[in-house]
Amino acid sequence: MSTFFLARAMQRRSFFRAAGATLATSTLVLAGCKDDEEPATPVVNNVIAFNGFDTTTRQPIDDGVLNYAYLLEQLEAAFYQKVVASPPADLLPGELAYLTDLRDHELIHREYLKALLGSKAYDVSLAAPLEFNFSSLTLTTRVGVWTAARQLEDIGVAAYNGAGKLLVVTSNLLALGKLASVEARHAALVHEILQSDSFASTVGADGLDDAKTPTEVIELIKSFLPVEVSVAALPTT
C-alpha cells in the first residue's frame, strides 16, 4: 500500500511540473493574442448572458460556449478547493490525495480556459469573483463529499458532450476535447470510490455517455450560482 501511494505521489509531482510549464507558456501566448478584444459576455442586472453571435463565422458563439465551459470549471475548482481546505474526518487513507489531484486538475482547466478566452472571459466584467454556494451539499462526511463530486463530475461530462457540437473553430473543439477526456476519467474514479465496478454506470446500452444542452446543465447547477446565467443565445445543435 505504501509503495502504491509513493508511486502515485511521484507521478503526480512529475505531472504537475510538466502541466505547470505548459500552462504558463499557453497563458502567455493565448492571453497575448486577445489583450485588445472586448469582453463577449455582458453582465447586466446580476445576469450573466453567454451570448453574442455572428452568422458567418460564429466565433462569438464559440466564445460563449468557451465561457460556459469556463464557468463549469470555476465551479468544480471551487468545490474541490473547499473540500481540500476542510476535508471530512472520515476520509479513507489516500482519499485526500485523490481529492487534491482532482482540485489541481480543475484549477489547471480553469486557468487554461481563462487563458484561451483572454479578455473575452465573462468574469472580466465582474466587480468580484463569483462565490459559489455549496450549502445544499453535505461536505462533512466522506460519502457526502464523494456523492457531491459524482454529481458535479457527471454534470461536467454531460456538459462537454453537449457543448462540443456547438463549436465551429477546430482549435476550440480540440481544446475542449482535452478537458472532456480528463473529466470523464474523474467521473469514473469518483463512481468507483463510491461503489466498486460502477465506473461505467452512466454509459448507455448504445455504448455512449450522456449529453446535455447548456440550458439543461445550467438548470442542474443553478443552486450553486450566486447570479443568474442565461445561455438562451447559444445554439442547441
Side-chain angles (χ1 to χ4, degrees), residues 182-224:
V182 178
E183 295 296 342
R185 294 175 191 269
H186 289 178
L189 169 67
V190 172
H191 275 261
E192 195 68 10
I193 287 175
L194 275 171
Q195 182 179 344
S196 181
D197 297 327
S198 67
F199 67 93
S201 59
T202 61
V203 178
D206 57 0
L208 302 177
D209 214 333
D210 191 16
K212 294 188 182 300
T213 67
T215 299
E216 291 172 325
V217 170
I218 294 301
E219 181 66 23
L220 290 173
I221 67 171
K222 67 180 183 181
S223 65
F224 307 128

Side-chain angles (χ1 to χ4, degrees), residues 30-102:
L30 294 170
C33 293
K34 299 202 172 190
D35 279 345
D36 297 328
E37 297 179 359
E38 294 298 321
T41 304
V43 182
V44 181
N45 296 328
N46 212 37
V47 177
I48 299 173
F50 294 149
N51 59 13
F53 19 49
D54 182 319
T55 55
T56 302
T57 66
R58 292 184 67 190
Q59 177 64 52
I61 285 181
D62 270 26
D63 291 336
V65 175
L66 293 175
N67 265 302
Y68 160 65
Y70 178 42
L71 173 68
L72 296 177
E73 295 297 349
Q74 286 181 307
L75 173 64
E76 289 185 296
F79 167 74
Y80 286 114
Q81 281 183 308
K82 183 176 181 64
V83 171
V84 170
S86 184
D90 61 342
L91 285 179
L92 299 180
E95 289 188 339
L96 182 57
Y98 282 132
L99 289 164
T100 302
D101 282 348
L102 293 170

Side-chain angles (χ1 to χ4, degrees), residues 110-197:
R110 183 191 72 188
E111 295 305 306
Y112 178 77
L113 286 169
K114 181 179 181 180
L116 183 62
L117 283 159
S119 62
K120 293 290 189 72
Y122 78 90
D123 54 0
V124 170
S125 303
L126 298 180
L130 294 181
E131 293 188 11
F132 298 99
N133 179 9
F134 299 113
S135 61
S136 62
L137 304 176
T138 301
L139 303 182
T140 55
T141 68
R142 170 186 178 272
V143 171
V145 162
W146 287 116
T147 299
R150 180 177 62 187
Q151 176 186 352
L152 291 177
E153 295 293 353
D154 283 349
I155 290 173
V157 172
Y160 276 115
N161 287 342
K165 66 181 180 179
L166 307 181
L167 295 166
V168 172
V169 180
T170 301
S171 60
N172 291 335
L173 179 58
L174 293 174
L176 287 200
K178 291 178 180 180
L179 304 185
S181 61
V182 178
E183 295 296 342
R185 294 175 191 269
H186 289 178
L189 169 67
V190 172
H191 275 261
E192 195 68 10
I193 287 175
L194 275 171
Q195 182 179 344
S196 181
D197 297 327

